[in-house]
Amino acid sequence: MKLLRRNFLKLAGGLIAAPALPRQAAALDYPTRPTKIIAGFAAGGGVDITARLIGQWLADHLGQPFVVENRTGAGGNIGTEAVVNAAPDGYTLLLATVPNAVNASLYEKLSFNFVRDIAPVAGVIRVPMVVLVHPSVPAQTLAEFIAYAKANPGKVNMASAGSGSAPHMAGELFKMMTGVDMVHVPYRGQGPALTDLIGGQVQILFAAAPGTADHIKTGKLRALAVTTAARMAELPEVPTVGDVVAGYEASQWYGFAAPKNTPAEIIEKLNKEINAAIADPGMKARLAAIGGEPMPGSSVDFGKLIADETEKWGKVVRAAGVKPE
């Protein structure tokens, strides 16, 4: 894994450090026809919305359509495989997210290696998660919850948006770092998991922040902490998990990737436009509406994030014995 990670970072670095070469006309003129953005998850979710928002910006500023295509299934693997096998010409892109990093360890037999077979383009946003519990749980703080869970091993049910999902992995990382024993209850998406949490069928959920504020304000659910390194602007009174569990950090993130060997000039052009998009006040507001915090940087920066996340979640998958649904 470490060797693979080094090779990936070397490849990503080459996009910037490579000596200047005569540019092909295709790279100079890109795009000259519609570009497809593959989203590996259903319409209406964070992946789909992010792909459409940035796709519209790219279309407006590069003069050609950027069309989102939802290819769902196998935790995002079907869509990812389509991009890996596409021509490396910039006309097929992937909206990459946490499951891409998780799946590298979660699935034993993939026809591709995500770190090896894609080229990072640019990060877009990072989305915090909130540790939510049902009001019946006798804990007002995260430290109290940890003590309660340790006193009741195997009696706390932890919901998730599905096996290998970002909320699931955030919970498993929490279990690993605190030593608490909670029973994982996977759902087909965050919506059903939230419904059962509100109903008291499960006790805790590491939930993507969007769509949770009203439940917190009305007292239907209690927020114990946020999973990112810094507090959320929308929930300034809620501490971070890291305030209690040193070194803990988990979040959903979205960014763009392309097939391996996509011309550096095309990747640089897309990176520049995506960074311009997430710096735009209007786009910032739209992304904030889905809980997104801009994640600017070079293609190398995004490549390092992917490599780090693949290594991090691989350790969690192996330690917890997580299996795909």
Side-chain angles (χ1 to χ4, degrees), residues 227-289:
T227 63
T228 40
R231 295 192 182 199
M232 283 180 59
E234 294 80 3
L235 299 170
E237 73 285 356
V238 179
T240 69
V241 175
D243 289 338
V244 177
V245 184
Y248 182 97
E249 190 282 331
S251 59
Q252 293 203 29
W253 46 262
Y254 306 131
F256 280 82
K260 180 179 65 174
N261 297 325
T262 297
E265 294 86 358
I266 291 177
I267 287 180
E268 290 168 7
K269 191 170 190 176
L270 288 168
N271 178 273
K272 180 181 178 180
E273 282 299 336
I274 292 169
N275 274 283
I278 61 178
D280 177 77
M283 182 62 74
K284 277 186 176 180
R286 293 183 180 90
L287 294 171

Side-chain angles (χ1 to χ4, degrees), residues 129-142:
M129 285 176 274
V130 186
V131 184
L132 300 173
V133 295
H134 187 267
S136 64
V137 174
Q140 298 296 320
T141 67
L142 188 65

